Amino acid sequence: MAYQSFGHGPVPIIAFHGFGRTGQDFAEFEQALGDRLTIHAFDLPFHGESPASSERAKRPFTPAELRDYFSAFAEHMGAKKFVLMGFSLGGRVALSLLESMPERISRAVLIAPDGLKPR
């Protein structure tokens, strides 16, 4: 998945945008919080610069695949723990990760999260 990083602070954040948006939305936080946080804002599949594989349209990522991907990303960052941030659709991804890898997450910030009820 494509991502951009904003800020240079010691607290790592993995952030997910809302439907039809991109990780660029999190650039707004850089000026106010960039000295305290580093936000790694991902473009979810089928959004922004992330690939839109027709195979993945038929077979979405499983919670285990997401857990493994973001565990590897945290290792790459050198972070034992990180903060999750999710807006709307990104809140669903954040909740999935919170459930599948709670030991890696120090805090979760949900902004107008979607998916809090069964569909």
Side-chain angles (χ1 to χ4, degrees):
M1 280 185 252
Y3 73 95
Q4 300 174 65
S5 296
F6 305 104
H8 56 274
V11 177
I13 295 180
I14 294 178
F16 305 106
H17 59 80
F19 183 78
R21 305 295 303 171
T22 69
Q24 181 64 37
D25 287 351
F26 293 96
E28 296 296 320
F29 293 100
E30 187 169 30
Q31 185 174 357
L33 303 172
D35 61 336
R36 292 177 275 170
L37 312 169
T38 301
I39 300 173
H40 304 285
F42 282 80
D43 287 350
L44 293 171
F46 303 98
H47 293 79
E49 299 296 319
S50 286
S53 163
S54 60
E55 174 199 343
R56 283 301 183 177
K58 296 174 190 165
R59 189 179 60 83
F61 287 95
T62 66
E65 286 176 301
L66 290 171
R67 179 200 63 222
D68 293 347
Y69 184 90
F70 288 103
S71 288
F73 185 79
E75 291 297 324
H76 171 74
M77 289 189 306
K80 292 184 190 278
K81 290 191 172 230
F82 56 89
V83 175
L84 275 177
M85 182 181 288
F87 169 66
S88 189
L89 169 65
R92 292 182 94 170
V93 177
L95 287 170
S96 174
L97 291 174
L98 186 59
E99 183 176 38
S100 66
M101 55 191 292
E103 70 285 351
R104 298 298 299 262
I105 299 162
S106 60
R107 181 173 295 153
V109 178
L110 303 177
I111 306 163
D114 184 25
L116 296 179
K117 62 180 182 171
R119 294 193 184 265

